[in-house]
């Protein structure tokens, strides 16, 4: 018990004195953003609860109307860029998938106006909310579905606090991206309070290389995202050394995700049901975030460096997953992107059945009913082969892609099972320049070649580097393109 108490005291400062915190966002700004924060000096007392950051996802502004905080959500089709050049058609809210983050205070009266710009009916469920049944958003039982072009106004008072979310209650619409974070800040700051607070929504999609529309009925997924982005396009979480940090993970998909943090030990302090008693806290570095669940973890960022945060399911640590069966992937024709009925029955339209390039199609199940539209190579041995394979991928832009010869043994082809990660996650796929942003300043050259799928960084920075990144971020505000000529020295 002594070790457990010592751990909690050292990691989270349980013994810190807590001052009562005034309500977050007490009055809206003139533009309705309502982000009225009061950041005190670093490490000192804080007079307000910190706002939750959702990297790559906007916040939803509100205005005051008739005694309630009023939000406006539009359910609509959106185009989402998962990584540079990979633009897909999803469904979301207010031009974003996931939808914008909503933040309120415990005890607030809220009004959410939902307009349906989809081509079919929808409804909005407030996941985990203890509200009147006619506001629950369950179509057919608590309300009529919102027809195309229709509107529904949800209004209720919130007595809960914690990490919640909203989503369509039409099952396949959920799989098209229709979810957003809903943060209920407590009336009094949690003990211990945090310096930085982040929310990350976990999603997955099955998208064939030649089709920008996800297969929402599929059970296998090849694009795994944090806040609508796949690595290396995810934006790192920037914290200062010794900051106390909270990470809120929200999962709405078909898979559970064991989320692992490098370099630090945390405690799980909350779920989709709210704050947990401290007696339940214990040391962890991986938290299983189940489907339709949320998990809050907290820790002191006392270990400087660029630390990975990622789902630890191996298939979720890469994008565009494909079956890999040794030399078959080395042929000039690459891998079939989808096989039709004839091939499934053994009727080959080209080559012969014993050819070395015959084998499973790209992915498992994503090519049902499709034809052999395209072939892709996932194991080129040289930069020219890599460029040729990438150029054959429609809808992808490859300017700035760093094509390098992968490091493999001379007799690699003779080893059963080769290739595996040598090409899927190697430097041949690095795209540092393509994903350049202030938050990436100072990362090691070639870092992006090993950052794929459901991954991002927690960057624990010393004061001088932290200030530099924050200054670059401030300069970047309002600029549509990355800053030209940004230098990227590696920091130790």
């Amino acid at each position: 018990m002594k070790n457990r108490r010592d751990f909690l005291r050292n990691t989270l400062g349980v013994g810190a004195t807590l001052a009562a915190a005034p309500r977050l966002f007490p009055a809206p700004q003139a533009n309705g953003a309502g982000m009225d924060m009061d950041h005190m000096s670093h490490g000192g007392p804080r007079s307000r609860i910190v706002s939750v950051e959702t990297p790559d996802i906007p916040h939803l502004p509100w205005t005051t109307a008739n005694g309630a905080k009023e939000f406006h959500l539009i359910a609509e089709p959106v185009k989402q860029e998962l990584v540079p050049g990979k633009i897909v058609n999803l469904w979301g809210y207010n031009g974003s998938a996931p939808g914008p983050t909503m933040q309120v205070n415990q005890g607030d009266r809220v009004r959410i106006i939902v307009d349906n710009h989809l081509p079919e009916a929808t409804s909005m469920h407030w996941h985990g909310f203890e509200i009147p049944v006619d506001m629950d958003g369950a179509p057919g039982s608590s309300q009529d579905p919102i027809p195309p072009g229709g509107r529904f106004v949800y209004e209720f008072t919130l007595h809960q606090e914690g990490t919640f979310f909203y989503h369509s209650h039409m099952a396949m619409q959920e799989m098209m991206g229709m979810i957003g974070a809903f943060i209920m800040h407590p009336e009094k700051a949690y003990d211990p309070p945090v310096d930085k607070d982040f929310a990350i929504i976990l999603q997955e999609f099955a998208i064939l290389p030649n089709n920008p529309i996800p297969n929402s009925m599929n059970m296998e997924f090849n694009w795994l995202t944090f806040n609508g982005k796949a690595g290396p396009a995810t934006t790192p979480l920037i914290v200062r050394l010794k900051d106390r940090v909270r990470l809120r993970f929200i999962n709405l998909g078909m898979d559970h995700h064991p989320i692992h943090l490098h370099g630090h030990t945390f405690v799980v302090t909350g779920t989709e049901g709210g704050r947990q008693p401290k007696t339940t806290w214990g040391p962890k570095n991986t938290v299983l975030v189940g489907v339709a669940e949320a998990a809050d973890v907290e820790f002191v960022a006392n270990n400087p460096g660029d630390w990975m945060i990622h789902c630890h399911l191996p298939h979720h640590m890469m994008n565009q997953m494909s079956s890999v069966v040794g030399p078959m992937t080395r042929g000039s024709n690459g891998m079939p992107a989808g096989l039709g009925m004839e091939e499934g029955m053994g009727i080959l339209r080209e080559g012969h059945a014993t050819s070395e390039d015959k084998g499973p199609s790209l992915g498992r199940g994503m090519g049902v009913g499709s034809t052999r539209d395209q072939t892709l190579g996932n194991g080129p041995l040289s930069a020219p082969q890599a460029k040729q394979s990438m150029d054959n991928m429609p809808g992808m832009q490859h300017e700035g892609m760093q094509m390098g010869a992968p490091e493999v043994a001379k007799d690699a082809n003779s080893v059963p099972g080769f290739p595996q990660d040598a090409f899927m996650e190697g430097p041949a796929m690095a795209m540092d320049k393509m994903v350049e942003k202030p938050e990436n300043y100072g990362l090691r050259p070639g870092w992006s070649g090993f950052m794929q799928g459901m991954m991002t960084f927690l960057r624990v920075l010393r004061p001088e580097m932290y200030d530099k990144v924050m200054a670059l971020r401030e300069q970047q505000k309002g600029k549509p393109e990355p800053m030209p000529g940004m230098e990227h020295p590696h920091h130790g």
Side-chain angles (χ1 to χ4, degrees):
M1 289 299 295
K2 183 178 183 299
N3 290 339
R4 180 187 178 96
R5 287 195 301 270
D6 289 345
F7 168 80
L8 291 173
R9 184 177 296 111
N10 294 334
T11 305
L12 294 171
V14 171
T17 301
L18 173 67
R23 294 170 62 77
L24 180 69
F25 314 148
Q29 305 277 343
N31 62 3
M35 295 298 175
D36 180 17
M37 303 300 298
D38 182 14
H39 291 282
M40 303 297 288
S41 61
H42 180 72
R46 187 182 301 103
S47 64
R48 303 204 189 279
I49 299 168
V50 298
S51 176
V52 174
E53 298 180 43
T54 48
D56 301 310
I57 296 295
H59 289 275
L60 188 63
W62 52 267
T63 56
T64 300
N66 300 320
K69 289 181 177 178
E70 188 170 282
F71 297 87
H72 191 185
L73 279 171
I74 301 173
E76 60 185 352
V78 302
K79 289 188 179 294
Q80 183 78 10
E81 188 174 52
L82 304 182
V83 295
K86 184 62 178 180
I87 300 174
V88 296
N89 294 309
L90 303 179
W91 290 5
Y93 301 97
N94 297 45
S96 176
T101 298
M102 304 169 69
Q103 298 192 57
V104 301
N105 299 309
Q106 185 178 17
D108 276 346
R109 182 77 176 175
V110 297
R111 181 181 306 111
I112 304 107
I113 301 169
V114 178
D115 285 329
N116 183 14
H117 291 184
L118 298 172
E120 63 186 37
T122 190
S123 73
M124 185 74 81
H125 176 57
W126 311 98
H127 194 98
F129 290 33
E130 296 174 353
I131 53 179
V133 66
D134 58 349
M135 295 288 106
D136 186 58
S141 58
S142 67
Q143 71 169 81
D144 293 332
I146 308 172
R151 167 179 287 188
F152 193 93
V153 179
Y154 298 89
E155 186 167 344
F156 38 76
T157 299
L158 300 167
H159 69 90
Q160 296 163 276
E161 44 74 26
T163 304
F164 297 87
F165 48 103
Y166 62 90
H167 62 83
S168 166
H169 213 273
M170 306 294 197
M172 294 301 97
Q173 292 180 6
E174 296 176 20
M175 296 302 299
M176 287 291 288
M178 301 190 72
I179 179 179
F182 196 112
I183 307 300
M184 302 185 200
H185 292 281
E187 290 185 349
K188 294 184 178 180
Y190 292 135
D191 176 17
V194 296
D195 300 289
K196 290 293 183 72
D197 201 337
F198 299 94
I200 298 177
I201 295 177
L202 320 176
Q203 290 176 293
E204 54 208 3
F205 303 98
I207 307 174
L208 283 168
N210 56 340
N211 191 336
I213 304 172
N215 179 354
S216 61
M217 295 291 291
N218 205 267
M219 297 295 289
E220 297 285 346
F221 308 97
N222 62 333
W223 285 95
L224 292 302
T225 63
F226 279 170
N227 287 348
K229 296 287 187 180
T234 49
T235 297
L237 314 183
I238 306 299
V239 305
R240 191 198 302 259
L241 182 63
K242 300 298 178 66
D243 271 349
R244 186 172 287 113
V245 181
R246 178 183 299 119
L247 307 178
R248 306 171 187 249
F249 299 105
I250 299 170
N251 179 18
L252 188 67
M254 291 294 295
D255 288 336
H256 306 311
H257 298 289
I259 302 299
H260 175 59
L261 171 62
H262 290 209
H264 292 81
T265 301
F266 56 70
V267 293
V268 179
T269 60
T271 69
E272 72 286 350
R275 187 76 165 177
Q276 293 189 168
K278 289 180 183 177
T279 53
T280 68
W281 297 4
K284 292 180 69 68
N285 54 54
T286 304
V287 59
L288 182 63
V289 188
V291 172
E293 292 183 353
D296 297 349
V297 306
E298 296 179 23
F299 57 96
V300 173
N302 54 13
N303 195 0
D306 302 320
W307 302 105
M308 280 190 177
I309 305 174
H310 63 91
C311 177
H312 219 292
L313 288 175
H315 285 188
H316 294 187
M317 296 168 64
M318 53 185 172
N319 299 320
Q320 281 292 68
M321 296 183 299
S322 64
S323 301
V324 180
V325 280
M328 193 198 76
T329 66
R330 315 298 283 282
S332 60
N333 290 333
M335 292 282 288
L339 298 179
M341 188 188 321
E342 294 89 346
E343 286 83 2
M345 296 172 63
I347 304 173
L348 302 179
R349 290 184 288 181
E350 58 182 72
H352 55 87
T354 60
S355 173
E356 289 187 354
D357 68 348
K358 297 302 178 185
S361 72
L362 178 65
R364 295 169 290 171
M366 291 187 295
V368 174
S370 68
T371 60
R372 184 170 177 160
D373 296 319
Q374 177 189 359
T375 58
L376 297 174
N378 72 337
L381 276 177
S382 65
Q385 286 176 309
K387 185 177 187 305
Q388 180 181 3
S389 295
M390 297 298 289
D391 288 344
N392 289 334
M393 296 175 68
M396 291 288 284
Q397 303 165 4
H398 307 291
E399 183 178 355
M401 188 81 75
Q402 296 161 226
M403 299 294 183
E407 297 179 4
V408 298
K410 292 181 179 180
D411 60 347
N413 284 328
S414 66
V415 178
F418 174 82
Q420 294 291 332
D421 291 349
F423 301 103
M424 290 296 293
E425 301 183 24
M429 292 297 292
M431 53 175 72
D432 296 9
K433 290 291 185 181
M434 298 173 70
V435 295
E436 190 175 58
K437 62 186 72 173
E439 292 82 357
N440 295 341
Y441 176 84
L443 291 173
R444 291 174 64 98
W447 66 270
S448 59
F450 298 86
M451 178 69 67
Q452 299 181 12
M454 197 172 268
M455 292 185 174
T456 192
F457 281 120
L458 171 76
R459 302 195 64 196
V460 181
L461 305 179
R462 299 184 189 277
E464 60 275 10
M465 177 61 79
Y466 178 88
D467 292 342
K468 176 67 173 178
V469 171
M470 290 296 103
L472 290 171
R473 178 191 276 182
E474 192 65 27
Q475 293 175 28
Q476 182 72 0
K477 285 183 179 179
K479 295 183 179 181
E481 298 295 334
M483 290 182 293
M486 185 188 295
E487 298 177 358
H488 289 273
H490 173 62
H491 70 277

